[in-house]
Amino acid sequence: MTHDAELTVTPPTTKPAIPSAAAERMRLHRECRRKGLRCLTVALRETEIDPLIRIGFLRAEMRNDPSAVSKALYAYFDRTLGVTP
């Protein structure tokens, strides 16, 4: 008795799992840690933002933009502390 067995491949019935928002945050957190980065919350006084403007890291009109202040602070750190690979 011979059988002609055909091999049929059926596509998976379920879609690949989409990671939850929490899982994606954890993945990004771990990736940053592997790169040697740490996430900190830093409170700045107005008097600490003024020098960023005075030495040219931040435009005066951007002083109330948290993203712009953060970028200016990173630029200041890079210049004063040095950039590490």
Side-chain angles (χ1 to χ4, degrees):
M1 214 163 156
T2 59
H3 293 280
D4 288 323
E6 283 189 32
L7 195 62
T8 57
V9 178
T10 57
T13 56
T14 60
K15 294 180 182 177
I18 298 173
S20 68
E24 182 63 13
R25 280 192 306 275
M26 182 55 71
R27 185 189 69 75
L28 291 171
H29 170 75
R30 288 180 178 142
E31 182 179 322
C32 286
R33 296 286 289 205
R34 279 192 296 274
K35 293 178 180 178
L37 299 173
R38 301 296 181 263
C39 182
L40 306 171
T41 300
V42 177
L44 295 177
R45 295 175 189 87
E46 290 293 322
T47 58
E48 294 166 327
I49 293 174
D50 292 337
L52 292 173
I53 295 168
R54 195 170 43 254
I55 59 180
F57 287 104
L58 180 66
R59 293 192 334 251
E61 63 271 12
M62 302 301 286
R63 72 176 309 117
N64 293 318
D65 179 350
S67 178
V69 173
S70 178
K71 288 178 184 176
L73 197 54
Y74 285 140
Y76 174 76
F77 288 157
D78 286 346
R79 172 151 332 143
T80 59
L81 301 177
V83 181
T84 57

